[in-house]
Amino acid sequence: VTKDFHSDNILAASPEVLDAIVRAAAGPASSYGEDEYTTRVRQRCSAIFETEVEVFPVLTGTAANALSLAAVTPPDAAVLCHDHAHIERDELHAAELLSGGARLLTVQGDDGKLTVDGLTRALAGATRKPASLSVTNATEGGTVYTPDELRALGDFARANGLRMHLDGARFANAVASTGAAPADLTWRAGVDLLSFGATKNGAFGAEVIVVFSRELANGVREVWQRSGHRLSKMRLLSAQLEAYLTDDLWLRNARHANAMAARLRDAIASDVEIVRPVQANVVFVRLERPRAEALLAEGYRFYDWGLFGDGVYRLVTGFSTQPEDVDMLAAALRGRTGGGACPPTGDEGTGP
Ligand SMILES: Cc1ncc(COP(=O)(O)O)c(C=O)c1O
C-alpha cells in the first residue's frame, strides 16, 4: 500500500521490464544502438505507428524533449509551447541550452491545451521567429487532446513552417484515454517528433525519441551523439523499451493508471472540488489548507499545484497503483479515516 501520490515516477517498474534488463545483461551485444534490442524497438515503433520511424533511446524525458527541439530549432529561432509546459517550467530550459540559444515562447490555453487562436496571437506578437511548436499529450493539466484538436495544431504548424514536437511523457495515457490510433495522435496529425515516455508507466528509466520525418533523423542523431546520449551499452535502455512495447504492456499499464484516477475522481466527486477534467492519470483537487496539512501529517504525499489556484493539489496514479491505495486516499480526502472503501467501479483495467 502506498500513500505517495506525488507522481507516476515514484513507482518502480513492471516485472517484464526488470526481467528484460536482467536478460539483456547476460551476454555481449553490439554497442551504440547497433544492437538487436534497439533494432526491435525500431520495428515495434514502426508497427505501432503504422509507418517507418527512426528511434533514439534516451534516459530522461528532459533529454528527449531538448534533443528533439534542438534538432529542429536553430539558435536564433524560437519554440512555441504552452505556458504550463514541462519544457518551460521544469527543465531549466534544456532546449535552449542544447539548441545553442533558441528561446521558448509561451502561449496561454485552458486546461493545459493550446488552441489555434492562442497560437495565432502568439505568432503575431512573437519577438523571435518560431521554428517549432511543442505540444504535450497527455497535458500538464491532466487533460488529453483528441486527434481532431491535434490535427488543427498540426495544420497550423505546417501552414506557418513550424516543425511539430509532441512531449509524450504520458503518451500512453493519452492513447488509452482516447482509444485513438497512435498514428492519429502523432504523424497523421502533423507531429514530426515524439518524446515517447516509458519511465512513468512501467520502465525503470527509458524514453525514446520517435522521428516520423525521415529528413529529420540525421539531425536528431547528431545532437543525440554530440550531447553524450548515445550509450555504448544502449541495450540497457532498449531492452526496457522492447519489453514496454511488447504485448501492449504500455497500453495495459496506462489503462490501469487512468482507471485508478477515474476511481479516485468518482469516489470523491461529491465531497471534494475537482478543478480539472480527469482524462488521464492525474486528479487536481482543491482542499482547505488544514485538510491538506492533516493528510500530509497522516503520511500522504502529493504536490501543491499553486499554478492552478490557491489550495489546489495534484494527485497522480500509476501503473501499479492499487484500488486499495485509491480507496484509502479517497476516504482520507472525504475526511473519513479507516476502511471507507468505495464500491468497485468495474473498470480497474488489466494492469497490475
Ligand atoms: C509532461 C512531462 N514532460 C517531460 C517530463 C520529463 O521527464 P524527466 O523527469 O524524465 O526528465 C516530465 C516529468 O515529470 C513530464 O511530466
Side-chain angles (χ1 to χ4, degrees):
V1 176
T2 181
K3 290 181 163 181
D4 193 338
F5 293 85
H6 261 132
S7 181
D8 22 19
N9 56 24
I10 62 106
L11 301 170
S14 288
E16 293 90 331
V17 169
L18 294 177
D19 287 350
I21 295 174
V22 172
R23 272 186 280 114
S30 298
S31 52
Y32 298 110
E34 305 296 332
D35 57 273
E36 62 198 81
Y37 304 92
T38 309
T39 299
R40 288 196 293 266
V41 171
R42 185 181 312 112
Q43 289 165 346
R44 287 205 196 285
C45 283
S46 295
I48 287 168
F49 291 100
E50 304 174 61
T51 187
E52 284 300 310
V53 297
E54 272 302 330
V55 295
F56 300 93
V58 287
L59 194 48
T60 70
T62 299
N65 289 341
L67 295 172
S68 298
L69 291 168
V72 295
T73 319
D76 60 348
V79 179
L80 288 173
C81 66
H82 195 281
D83 175 39
H84 295 169
H86 201 270
I87 59 170
E88 162 70 10
R89 299 261 169 187
D90 302 291
E91 300 181 7
L92 294 184
H93 290 188
E96 299 190 353
L97 175 73
L98 288 184
S99 65
R103 290 282 174 270
L104 304 182
L105 296 182
T106 61
V107 185
Q108 310 281 333
D110 292 343
D111 292 337
K113 288 189 182 181
L114 293 165
T115 61
V116 169
D117 278 357
L119 287 171
T120 305
R121 276 195 301 276
L123 198 59
T127 47
R128 274 186 182 221
K129 191 171 162 29
S132 55
L133 165 67
S134 182
V135 181
T136 310
N137 200 25
T139 73
E140 289 83 356
T143 53
V144 169
Y145 287 96
T146 64
D148 285 348
E149 287 172 327
L150 279 176
R151 202 171 315 111
L153 301 182
D155 290 347
F156 171 90
R158 281 287 172 278
N160 290 285
L162 310 177
R163 290 295 188 174
M164 186 167 169
H165 163 251
L166 196 74
D167 177 348
R170 297 191 178 90
F171 183 70
N173 304 88
V175 175
S177 173
T178 54
D184 287 334
L185 291 175
T186 54
W187 64 274
R188 278 195 209 119
V191 172
D192 297 299
L193 314 114
L194 165 69
S195 299
F196 190 179
T199 306
K200 293 179 189 303
N201 189 40
F204 225 134
E207 316 274 307
V208 57
I209 302 171
V210 180
V211 183
F212 300 104
S213 303
R214 299 234 110 200
E215 71 272 21
L216 299 180
N218 282 343
V220 177
R221 184 176 289 105
E222 188 181 310
V223 67
W224 176 68
Q225 181 163 351
R226 289 188 76 199
S227 61
H229 286 96
R230 189 172 180 186
L231 272 64
S232 64
K233 293 190 180 173
M234 189 61 78
R235 66 189 134 137
L236 172 66
L237 303 185
S238 296
Q240 295 182 61
L241 293 165
E242 184 188 2
Y244 182 66
L245 299 174
T246 297
D247 295 336
D248 281 347
L249 178 63
W250 64 293
L251 281 176
R252 285 184 280 128
N253 280 357
R255 281 187 203 120
H256 176 84
N258 290 359
M260 290 299 101
R263 182 183 181 101
L264 178 61
R265 175 199 58 205
D266 294 346
I268 63 175
S270 49
D271 300 281
V272 177
E273 185 189 348
I274 297 172
V275 302
R276 288 283 182 285
V278 178
Q279 296 174 345
N281 62 323
V282 185
V283 182
F284 291 98
V285 295
R286 194 185 312 276
L287 302 174
E288 299 285 336
R289 209 157 279 281
R291 177 101 284 268
E293 279 162 13
L295 289 167
L296 292 170
E298 283 176 45
Y300 288 98
R301 294 287 172 264
F302 43 81
Y303 279 120
D304 184 330
W305 217 260
L307 193 59
F308 287 172
D310 203 32
V312 175
Y313 299 89
R314 190 185 81 160
L315 303 162
V316 185
T317 56
F319 71 95
S320 63
T321 303
Q322 295 301 303
E324 302 77 48
D325 301 337
V326 169
D327 295 346
M328 199 171 70
L329 171 66
L333 282 164
R334 292 193 310 252
R336 291 163 224 159
T337 46
C342 62
T345 59
D347 64 348
E348 278 80 50
T350 52

